[in-house]
Amino acid sequence: MKKESVGILLDDSTFARLPSRHTGNERLHLYNRAAKELKLAPPFFMNLRHISGTSATGYTYSGRRYRLRRRSLPRVVHNRDLALRPRMNAKLTRLSRSSVVFNRKNRYTKTKIAAILAKDKALQPYLPDTFVYSSARLAQAMNRYHALFIKPASGSVGDGIIKLSRIGQDRWLVQWKNRHKLSGAKARAMVHRAIAGKPYIIQEAVMLALYQGRPYDIRVSVQKGHSGNWQITGMVGKVAAPGRHVTNVAKGGSVKRCETLFRHSGLPPEETARAVARVSLQIAACLDRHLPRLADLGLDMGVDRNGRVKFIEMNGRDQRYSFRKAGMSREFFRTYRTPMEYAKRLLAQSGSQRR
């Protein structure tokens, strides 16, 4: 039987740099390795701008280099492009009519994700309170909570996140570019100026467990593999830089193995990891019931200072590099192999339906 290729849909920048292999955080050679292990043909690396009709111009790895070729569209495609512009989103929609595209949409607003999860009663103990931003809601939240995050409704890598922490009767620490100690009224005014009418959410701040005095959270890779079921591919901790209020590696955060962090915080490592994994799988299953073609997620999960698990946010295009930075090469490779296993399953299902 002839081997088939899986399509890997890349963003413009990654696609343009593919021949030089300087593809930033994407390690595309791991897709090639996974395809070889799974007895698939080398992946076909695609870009929406180079799709026309039922064919595309893209790259395959052959003879120790990436070769440009034109071919018919693969039957199964793993989407690693955001496709935020209407024209590109329309092309992605057309592609999904001829190919099975999983993770077709991979950018959802935090408001939408929070609303979906809030409807599941079993998940409610793990969800921080979340509201669409308004001046009135911010005032109400400041009366109710001791700490809050003000976050862009859509975004990643920690950009634009403001933290408010109560430090007195009417005194607040505002962490936004610098640290400001302000009255409640002045804190609200600063936040309102900072967000400048852009869509934001207000989220109850989880009192995260600490590592050497710095808060940390857990990036959990949750993916579908050869069985078609959700599985935990790996978990890695992200520790905020000294004095920072976000744990993102792009904002100076560092990475540590979860067992190191849990043990340092006085939490039982194995039991805590199992709890994080269990809630992560519940969250993925819930989202899967409401959002089409999900198969590859990065969940940010928190553990508070009492060991209670809390959901922070969902990433539809997990960058994965935290595993590499933590020296977790096995888990890092699995984040590439597992979607290929799922793609192979989809190819088999598609072949059966054709027959």
Side-chain angles (χ1 to χ4, degrees):
M1 182 181 293
K2 184 179 178 182
K3 294 180 180 179
E4 282 199 65
S5 289
V6 172
I8 310 295
L9 189 61
L10 303 175
D11 61 82
D12 294 349
S13 176
T14 305
F15 184 81
R17 292 182 293 174
L18 183 57
S20 70
R21 308 190 196 187
H22 298 302
T23 52
N25 291 319
E26 288 278 24
R27 295 296 189 264
L28 300 178
H29 68 280
L30 297 180
Y31 280 121
N32 297 327
R33 175 182 160 190
K36 185 175 182 179
E37 290 183 4
L38 294 168
K39 296 181 170 51
L40 293 165
F44 183 57
F45 296 100
M46 310 159 55
N47 176 259
L48 286 169
R49 296 183 187 279
H50 301 280
I51 296 175
S52 177
T54 59
S55 63
T57 300
Y59 291 97
T60 54
Y61 187 72
S62 174
R64 298 188 177 183
R65 67 185 180 93
Y66 286 96
R67 299 176 185 272
L68 194 65
R69 55 176 295 210
R70 188 151 194 98
R71 54 153 288 177
S72 58
L73 295 172
R75 288 195 292 129
V76 173
V77 176
H78 181 201
N79 181 27
R80 293 290 291 169
D81 186 10
L82 288 175
L84 298 178
R85 295 179 180 176
R87 180 169 169 267
M88 292 299 104
N89 191 45
K91 293 194 78 169
L92 182 56
T93 299
R94 288 195 293 273
L95 172 63
S96 68
R97 294 183 186 134
S98 59
S99 304
V100 177
V101 183
F102 63 94
N103 267 42
R104 176 182 137 192
K105 184 172 181 179
N106 49 28
R107 174 66 65 86
Y108 294 95
T109 66
K110 296 176 178 67
T111 313
K112 183 178 181 70
I113 298 303
I116 290 171
L117 297 179
K119 293 177 183 176
D120 189 326
K121 290 184 179 179
L123 290 175
Q124 288 175 4
Y126 312 112
L127 306 177
D129 290 341
T130 304
F131 316 93
V132 176
Y133 175 85
S134 72
S135 295
R137 288 196 186 98
L138 179 58
Q140 292 168 0
M142 289 172 71
N143 284 329
R144 183 175 179 183
Y145 304 102
H146 281 80
L148 299 165
F149 281 108
I150 319 298
K151 299 180 177 182
S154 180
S156 59
V157 302
D159 287 335
I161 295 177
I162 305 167
K163 186 178 182 182
L164 275 66
S165 305
R166 187 189 300 275
I167 55 175
Q169 182 64 29
D170 187 40
R171 298 291 292 172
W172 290 80
L173 173 64
V174 182
Q175 291 174 266
W176 165 243
K177 296 184 178 178
N178 293 302
R179 298 162 69 90
H180 312 269
K181 295 180 181 180
L182 304 170
S183 68
K186 288 184 177 180
R188 289 192 294 275
M190 172 174 269
V191 169
H192 201 62
R193 288 195 304 271
I195 70 174
K198 295 187 283 290
Y200 265 66
I201 65 166
I202 303 166
Q203 189 174 75
E204 170 193 6
V206 177
M207 298 302 289
L208 292 171
L210 302 177
Y211 176 78
Q212 296 180 348
R214 294 175 286 155
Y216 65 84
D217 61 21
I218 310 300
R219 171 58 58 89
V220 186
S221 176
V222 195
Q223 299 174 311
K224 290 181 181 178
H226 62 85
S227 69
N229 299 320
W230 289 104
Q231 63 186 59
I232 304 297
T233 306
M235 298 192 299
V236 62
K238 299 182 282 122
V239 185
R244 299 299 293 266
H245 60 287
V246 294
T247 62
N248 305 73
V249 177
K251 298 299 180 184
S254 57
V255 291
K256 295 282 182 184
R257 292 177 181 265
C258 292
E259 55 268 28
T260 300
L261 298 174
F262 297 153
R263 191 172 289 111
H264 182 89
S265 301
L267 303 172
E270 292 183 7
E271 181 181 332
T272 306
R274 283 196 298 269
V276 171
R278 175 177 54 79
V279 178
S280 298
L281 289 171
Q282 286 180 252
I283 288 169
C286 176
L287 294 174
D288 201 15
R289 291 192 292 270
H290 295 86
L291 304 175
R293 288 290 179 193
L294 288 186
D296 184 2
L297 302 176
L299 301 181
D300 284 333
M301 304 294 293
V303 179
D304 73 13
R305 293 168 198 181
N306 294 310
R308 293 173 297 207
V309 177
K310 295 288 184 178
F311 169 75
I312 299 174
E313 63 184 51
M314 181 270 272
N315 301 275
R317 189 177 70 154
D318 188 2
Q319 293 298 301
R320 304 167 174 162
Y321 58 79
S322 295
F323 294 103
R324 175 173 56 82
K325 288 181 177 293
M328 300 170 66
S329 56
R330 178 173 172 270
E331 289 83 355
F332 185 51
F333 172 58
R334 286 181 62 200
T335 64
Y336 286 83
R337 180 184 164 110
T338 304
M340 294 295 284
E341 292 174 359
Y342 183 60
K344 184 175 181 179
R345 174 187 174 86
L346 293 176
L347 282 171
Q349 289 178 339
S350 176
S352 299
Q353 289 168 1
R354 288 187 176 188
R355 290 192 291 272

